[in-house]
Amino acid sequence: MSILPSLLFALSANMDNFTVGIVYGVKKIKIGILSNLIIAVITGLGTFLSMTLGLFINRLISHSISNILGSSILIIMGLYLMMDFFKGNGRDTFLKNPEKADENNSGDIDKKEAIILALALGMNNIGLGIGASITGLNLLYTTFSTTLLSIIAIILGFHIGKSYLSAILGKYAPLVSALVIILLGIHEMFI
């Protein structure tokens, strides 16, 4: 079984985390190790639960239909995210302005703020997890990859946010995410 589709899913699912990390780097808002772990665990748990739901749905329909359905969900979600990128709207408050998650303006994301931020980040992955699971992505590989890449995406984004690359990478991360989701859907439809 190839882990590449799981890694592509995890990469795409964590583009928002990467963007949030960039914004925090620019604004010099710290995300400590514990807060980053909380975000990663909630993100991973959201992936696990949505993929479990996808597995349940998968048992109710034939393999050929499930593959087409799951792939179509991924492609449609990718197209929606791409249109959202070009329109420049959508996204909830924390993902448009992630610095608002720092409710007490302490310059540091505490545990409570990390939970709220993680729930906002995880909501975007529910449909993706269902679609990915229906197409047959491995639940454990995908959950583990998503959790691990969540940690890496925030750390990497934070460090890039402190550099001159932040404007370019932060701006185009949602578009890259949408393209990866579409390619993953196309890949899963024909494999």
Side-chain angles (χ1 to χ4, degrees):
M1 173 172 286
S2 173
I3 63 167
L4 181 61
S6 294
L7 288 173
L8 288 174
F9 173 88
L11 176 68
S12 177
N14 282 298
M15 283 295 179
D16 285 336
N17 298 42
F18 177 69
T19 303
V20 165
I22 289 174
V23 170
Y24 288 168
V26 169
K27 304 272 186 182
K28 295 179 177 38
I29 298 172
K30 296 176 189 150
I31 299 180
I33 295 170
L34 182 58
S35 294
N36 198 357
L37 285 174
I38 289 170
I39 292 168
V41 167
I42 292 174
T43 300
L45 183 61
T47 300
F48 178 80
L49 292 175
S50 63
M51 289 189 74
T52 300
L53 178 59
L55 286 174
F56 175 75
I57 293 169
N58 204 15
R59 289 187 181 122
L60 301 176
I61 52 181
S62 72
H63 176 69
S64 59
I65 292 174
S66 69
N67 199 36
I68 291 169
L69 176 64
S71 299
S72 297
I73 289 171
L74 292 175
I75 292 168
I76 290 168
M77 289 194 72
L79 290 171
Y80 172 79
L81 292 172
M82 186 180 290
M83 287 179 5
D84 191 47
F85 172 80
F86 287 114
K87 284 182 183 178
N89 59 15
R91 303 286 178 188
D92 61 34
T93 304
F94 287 139
L95 301 185
K96 272 188 184 174
N97 303 299
E99 65 276 9
K100 290 186 179 185
D102 184 16
E103 294 175 342
N104 58 11
N105 295 316
S106 65
D108 191 14
I109 300 298
D110 63 27
K111 291 176 275 198
K112 178 186 166 202
E113 294 165 341
I115 291 169
I116 294 168
L117 179 60
L119 291 173
L121 289 166
M123 293 304 278
N124 289 334
N125 294 344
I126 292 173
L128 292 176
I130 292 170
S133 182
I134 291 173
T135 64
L137 262 65
N138 183 285
L139 176 73
L140 295 179
Y141 288 160
T142 307
T143 300
F144 177 76
S145 298
T146 302
T147 304
L148 181 62
L149 281 179
S150 172
I151 295 168
I152 293 168
I154 288 177
I155 292 170
L156 185 62
F158 181 81
H159 290 293
I160 288 173
K162 295 190 294 186
S163 76
Y164 66 93
L165 292 173
S166 63
I168 296 169
L169 294 177
K171 180 179 178 183
Y172 292 105
L175 179 60
V176 171
S177 175
L179 290 171
V180 170
I181 293 166
I182 292 168
L183 292 174
L184 182 59
I186 292 169
H187 174 269
E188 291 301 309
M189 186 174 284
F190 295 107
I191 296 300

